[in-house]
Amino acid sequence: MKEEIDYARYDRIRPIRWTGDMLELLDQRKLPFTVEYVACRTASAVAVAIHALIVRGAPAIGIAAAWGVVLAARELDATAGAIETAAEAAERLEPVMQQLNAARPTAVNLAWALARMRRALANAGDDWRTLLFREAQAIASEDLAANHKMGKLGAQLIAKGSGVLTHCNTGSLATAGFGTALGVIRAGVAQGRIDRVFAGETRPWLQGARLTVWELQQDGIDATLIADSAASHLMKTGQVQWVIVGADRICANGDVANKIGTYQLAIAARYHGVKFMVVAPSSTVDMATPSGGKIEIEERDPGELFGVGGVRTVPEGVKAWNPVFDVAPSELIDAIVTERGVVERPNRVSMQTFFGH
Ligand code: MRU
């Protein structure tokens, strides 16, 4: 079996670009029909972009927030006179970091990236500006390397001739490049293991329909879109052997928060004897959260459910509830793939062995 992966073919999109003096974010609200970057010159603009889903996906929002801190440091220099010490910079940057952290609550990668930026400042001297810049660069480049590693590790679990179903978007658009779950799918296709790829639409924001199948189309990977509600029927017909998803937060007991609908996919997969794989870098693992019940689940504007593509489909006066993540309990998960290795049948003990230090 061909093990090497042609990344030039399978990884063409970059959602986050640092230009040297500003951050450019690919506006994911407008994809696939408009490819347009939004220029962010301030940390506040980055926080707004994260909240508005201009940039989205757990690793990508962490990377964007790290660059937001770099922008905030430049704003400080421009407006507040000379900042003398790293400690003074840390104190002045803290409110901005809190603003970035509050942009979205569920994906732990945001808090993780900001904690790294804080640590970089705490260890810095006069060189704090350079160290912040290098840390943001490192967060992005380590994410890309982790995705390449996870792609290979995850693909090894998949038998030749398999079909897979994915949910939401976990590709280049959601990361520094290549993707997590979509990286495994790319690697599995490149290695000739995966014959059939299905993607759920992912209502209400349509990450699957607007983003995932668009990414795969650019790779020349044949993918079939399904309505989210077709997933159980797809499994029953024997066309998929794995459900492969990303994660926004993985708890100390192996419970996984991910895009709303993931939980029902995990239940349906177990019922139909389909395996369930979660792919996420170790930056998504949160050993400080003991189990899924403790995760804050983001609830967004119910208005997201009232229409499609800006066209209202629901009568006026109707109420809606719009939680955008849910938690798949660890007992429904066959494998968690991280760049550190594969945790099979995750539980508190195996999670502690992999991530407890
Ligand atoms: O609301 P989103 O689009 O940011 O949600 C994204 C997901 O749930 C992804 O599956 C998760 O962040 C992993 S992305 C590699």
Side-chain angles (χ1 to χ4, degrees), residues 53 56-59 104 167-170 174-175 180 207 246-248 258-259 325:
L53 308 186
R56 45 140 304 277
R104 293 192 79 186
H167 189 53
C168 197
N169 172 269
T170 61
T175 62
T180 58
Q207 287 93 332
D248 289 83
N258 190 48
K259 180 51 55 192
F325 297 99

Side-chain angles (χ1 to χ4, degrees), residues 6 15 103 108 111-112 122 127 141 156 166 184 191 239-240 253 270 278 287 304 314 325-326 331-332 351 355:
D6 176 3
V108 74
W112 170 88
D127 54 350
S141 59
Q156 279 169 13
T166 191
V184 168
Q191 294 176 354
Q239 298 181 76
V240 293
N253 69 345
R270 182 55 56 90
V278 174
M287 293 300 281
E304 289 182 354
V314 177
F325 297 99
D326 59 24
E331 53 270 28
L332 296 181
M351 288 297 292
F355 302 106

Side-chain angles (χ1 to χ4, degrees), residues 249 251-257 289-297 327-329:
R249 193 181 292 247
C251 303
N253 69 345
D255 289 353
V256 168
T289 298
S291 61
K294 302 278 182 219
I295 297 174
E296 184 184 345
I297 299 293
V327 176

Side-chain angles (χ1 to χ4, degrees), residues 272-356:
H272 291 100
V274 170
K275 296 267 179 105
F276 195 86
M277 186 193 303
V278 174
V279 189
S282 54
S283 54
T284 307
V285 175
D286 175 14
M287 293 300 281
T289 298
S291 61
K294 302 278 182 219
I295 297 174
E296 184 184 345
I297 299 293
E298 179 181 2
E299 291 187 14
R300 293 185 70 87
D301 182 357
E304 289 182 354
L305 290 164
F306 291 153
V308 182
V311 177
R312 184 146 185 139
T313 52
V314 177
E316 297 293 340
V318 168
K319 279 189 300 186
W321 179 49
N322 188 21
V324 300
F325 297 99
D326 59 24
V327 176
S330 58
E331 53 270 28
L332 296 181
I333 298 168
D334 292 287
I336 295 179
V337 176
T338 75
E339 80 283 9
R340 296 197 195 165
V342 178
V343 189
E344 289 194 53
R345 292 296 181 116
N347 57 36
R348 197 171 296 285
V349 175
S350 54
M351 288 297 292
Q352 182 64 26
T353 309
F354 261 80
F355 302 106

Side-chain angles (χ1 to χ4, degrees), residues 93-166:
L93 289 172
E94 189 50 39
V96 175
M97 300 221 213
Q98 285 179 21
Q99 186 197 359
L100 286 161
N101 194 38
R104 293 192 79 186
T106 305
V108 74
N109 306 62
L110 191 53
W112 170 88
L114 292 166
R116 271 187 67 161
M117 298 303 274
R118 273 192 202 95
R119 268 200 307 280
L121 265 181
N123 295 326
D126 291 348
D127 54 350
W128 62 271
R129 293 171 186 80
T130 314
L131 289 188
L132 279 184
F133 175 78
R134 284 204 197 131
E135 197 65 13
Q137 271 186 325
I139 288 170
S141 59
E142 288 168 26
D143 186 64
L144 183 60
N147 292 340
H148 289 173
K149 182 89 189 286
M150 293 188 296
K152 288 184 175 163
L153 286 173
Q156 279 169 13
L157 303 175
I158 301 170
K160 196 167 163 38
S162 293
V164 301
L165 169 64
T166 191

Side-chain angles (χ1 to χ4, degrees), residues 191-252:
Q191 294 176 354
R193 297 169 189 270
I194 296 176
D195 285 355
R196 297 169 301 284
V197 180
F198 294 87
E201 280 183 299
T202 322
R203 280 282 293 155
W205 217 70
L206 299 175
Q207 287 93 332
R210 294 191 305 106
L211 309 178
T212 298
V213 291
W214 180 70
E215 278 200 37
L216 292 175
Q217 196 176 47
Q218 294 183 54
D219 290 2
I221 293 178
D222 185 43
T224 304
L225 183 68
I226 60 163
D228 297 319
S229 44
S232 293
H233 183 62
L234 175 77
M235 293 180 205
K236 193 177 178 181
T237 59
Q239 298 181 76
V240 293
Q241 284 61 52
W242 282 93
V243 173
I244 309 180
V245 297
D248 289 83
R249 193 181 292 247
I250 303 176
C251 303

